């Protein structure tokens, strides 16, 4: 025992604490998710998600401009289609809601990075992330459609595509399709370690994407699976050509973020999902949590675990320093 060891010496004042602080949040590493809906002049509050809105593609550039002016380098777009069918064909419609939104944003703010979610769940009548055959999600048929979606987004001007479907080999199929169509500069941020989580509830209301039957447990990762399985998912995605890999949700899976950071050299993204977002909002509404401190604490923990990039619905508020 060393009685003269005084850890508190370095905690005596705000300046001292700042001096020795090892982790800092930066707006540079934040991504702000946006929801695009059909129609014109639409800006409608999303009931399940505080302070989030559905924007039609004609209004979304204004919102994107505000995001860019706050210093946030990227948005992540989710689309809601005009109509749904068995195969989610509206997802690769070149004049679809997302494609139109990408064009409008890139025209208005060319320097804002536009990342697009690649999945079928908002576009299929059954709400699954893939093509259903004999009550099962067919992996390879789904990958072909995902590749078409990715190419349609790249054509519209997307800088990066983010497959969130959890089909096997989709990163390779998408990379190949992008390259063949002349989009070798379009990056891929893969939702690599994505869990079959209960924390997506508010988002599924917002994107109208809840599965009509069953659940997503045959394609998304088991919540109790070992971290070795997550490392293998990430390793495969990197081998297939992912430029950035993602862990999702964030706070319940800090161990996975940490291990991924130790092990891989590509940037690691973490998605603080809708259910995490609403936990903070609901608890602070009930006056049991100080919203600002709790949010900053959670984001700092995500950063310390090893996330290089954080996708969060709090991005604008953080940039405004106003939580
Ligand atoms: C689509 C997708 C989901 C989310 C992002 N992409 C929902 C799901 O997998 O059911 C969740 C995002 C959030 O909860 O904020 N597959």
């Amino acid at each position: 025992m060393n009685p003269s060891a005084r850890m508190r010496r370095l905690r005596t004042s705000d300046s001292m604490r700042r001096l020795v602080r090892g982790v800092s949040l930066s707006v540079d590493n934040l991504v702000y998710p946006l929801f695009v809906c059909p129609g014109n002049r639409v800006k409608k509050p999303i009931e399940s998600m505080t302070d989030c809105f559905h924007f039609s593609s004609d209004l979304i550039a204004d919102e994107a401009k505000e995001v860019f002016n706050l210093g946030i380098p990227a948005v992540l777009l989710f689309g809601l289609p005009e109509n749904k069918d068995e195969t989610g064909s509206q997802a690769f419609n070149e004049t679809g809601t997302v494609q139109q939104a990408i064009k409008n944003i890139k025209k208005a703010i060319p320097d804002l990075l536009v990342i697009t979610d690649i999945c079928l769940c908002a576009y299929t009548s059954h709400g699954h992330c893939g093509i259903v055959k004999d009550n099962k999600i067919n992996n390879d048929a789904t990958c072909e459609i995902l590749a078409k979606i990715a190419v349609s987004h790249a054509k519209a001007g997307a800088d990066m595509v983010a497959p969130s479907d959890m089909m096997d080999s989709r990163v390779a199929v998408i990379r190949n399709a992008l390259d063949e169509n002349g989009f070798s500069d379009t990056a891929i941020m893969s939702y690599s370690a994505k869990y079959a989580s209960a924390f997506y509830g508010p988002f599924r209301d917002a994107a109208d994407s809840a599965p009509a039957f069953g659940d997503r447990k045959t394609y998304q990762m088991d919540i109790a699976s070992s971290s070795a399985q997550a490392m293998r998912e990430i390793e495969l995605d990197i081998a297939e050509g992912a430029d950035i890999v993602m862990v999702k949700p964030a706070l319940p899976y800090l161990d996975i973020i940490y291990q991924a950071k130790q092990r891989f050299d590509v940037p690691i993204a973490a998605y603080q999902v809708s259910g995490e977002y609403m936990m903070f909002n609901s608890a602070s509404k009930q006056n049991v949590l100080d919203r600002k401190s709790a949010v900053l604490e959670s984001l700092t923990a995500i950063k310390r675990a090893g996330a290089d990039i954080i996708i969060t619905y709090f991005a604008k508020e953080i940039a405004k320093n106003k939580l």
Side-chain angles (χ1 to χ4, degrees):
M1 200 178 83
N2 175 3
S4 62
R6 296 284 172 182
M7 294 304 288
R8 293 180 47 188
R9 256 179 234 129
L10 299 182
R11 294 173 195 150
T12 47
S13 66
D14 187 53
S15 293
M16 186 69 92
R17 290 188 292 272
R18 278 174 43 222
L19 180 73
V20 299
R21 192 168 277 169
V23 184
S24 60
L25 282 176
S26 163
V27 174
D28 285 343
N29 310 122
L30 301 181
V31 177
Y32 186 61
L34 284 175
F35 296 89
V36 198
C37 67
N40 279 311
R41 314 299 304 164
V42 183
K43 179 183 176 183
K44 205 171 80 204
I46 296 174
E47 269 177 37
S48 58
M49 296 175 68
T50 312
D51 297 332
C52 292
F53 296 85
H54 283 121
F55 292 96
S56 51
S57 55
D58 57 334
L59 289 192
I60 203 155
D62 292 341
E63 175 69 7
K65 192 171 273 175
E66 192 187 322
V67 173
F68 185 69
N69 288 339
L70 285 167
I72 298 166
V75 291
L76 173 59
L77 295 188
F78 293 96
L80 285 85
E82 202 90 53
N83 44 60
K84 304 179 190 239
D85 58 26
E86 281 282 302
T87 56
S89 60
Q90 283 308 307
F92 52 86
N93 179 346
E94 292 196 0
T95 57
T97 42
V98 171
Q99 288 80 356
Q100 208 50 56
I102 301 167
K103 286 181 206 159
N104 293 347
I105 295 172
K106 288 309 284 187
K107 197 167 146 202
I109 325 120
D111 292 336
L112 176 70
L113 291 175
V114 173
I115 311 174
T116 57
D117 187 82
I118 305 287
C119 198
L120 281 176
C121 57
Y123 297 87
T124 48
S125 40
H126 45 72
H128 275 290
C129 302
I131 301 298
V132 177
K133 272 188 194 156
D134 305 326
N135 265 338
K136 285 188 180 147
I137 315 304
N138 187 287
N139 194 87
D140 296 6
T142 302
C143 288
E144 294 308 317
I145 296 188
L146 296 169
K148 281 195 197 176
I149 304 172
V151 170
S152 79
H153 290 182
K155 258 190 198 156
D159 299 283
M160 198 183 302
V161 294
S164 69
D165 51 282
M166 288 303 276
M167 297 302 120
D168 288 316
S169 80
R170 89 277 208 210
V171 173
V173 177
I174 290 172
R175 182 71 270 157
N176 192 35
L178 287 171
D179 292 350
E180 274 183 355
N181 285 276
F183 298 109
S184 54
D185 282 343
T186 308
I188 299 178
M189 173 168 72
S190 176
Y191 288 69
S192 301
K194 173 172 174 179
Y195 290 84
S197 169
F199 288 93
Y200 309 149
F203 172 97
R204 288 185 189 167
D205 284 341
D208 187 24
S209 65
F213 65 90
D215 51 41
R216 305 211 199 289
K217 289 181 182 168
T218 63
Y219 42 105
Q220 298 182 347
M221 291 178 64
D222 189 284
I223 55 148
S225 54
S226 70
S227 58
Q229 195 180 119
M231 295 309 110
R232 196 155 141 69
E233 285 278 4
I234 294 171
E235 196 171 23
L236 284 166
D237 281 2
I238 294 172
E240 290 175 27
D243 301 286
I244 298 172
V245 294
M246 189 203 296
V247 176
K248 175 187 171 192
L251 207 55
Y253 299 95
L254 292 181
D255 56 329
I256 305 299
I257 297 171
Y258 176 78
Q259 289 187 45
K261 184 63 185 167
Q262 302 302 306
R263 196 144 151 179
F264 302 107
D265 293 329
V266 302
I268 310 288
Y271 197 148
Q272 182 184 52
V273 300
S274 57
E276 296 178 74
Y277 176 68
M278 288 310 291
M279 284 200 302
F280 293 109
N281 283 318
S282 306
S284 57
K285 208 168 160 194
Q286 289 193 48
N287 290 320
V288 293
L289 268 190
D290 175 61
R291 188 166 181 271
K292 181 173 181 172
S293 315
V295 169
L296 289 176
E297 187 175 335
S298 76
L299 290 169
T300 303
I302 294 166
K303 197 80 195 280
R304 186 180 54 237
D308 299 292
I309 298 163
I310 305 176
I311 301 154
T312 173
Y313 302 97
F314 289 116
K316 274 175 69 183
E317 286 181 81
I318 289 162
K320 286 183 193 162
N321 204 1
K322 191 178 113 190
L323 272 161

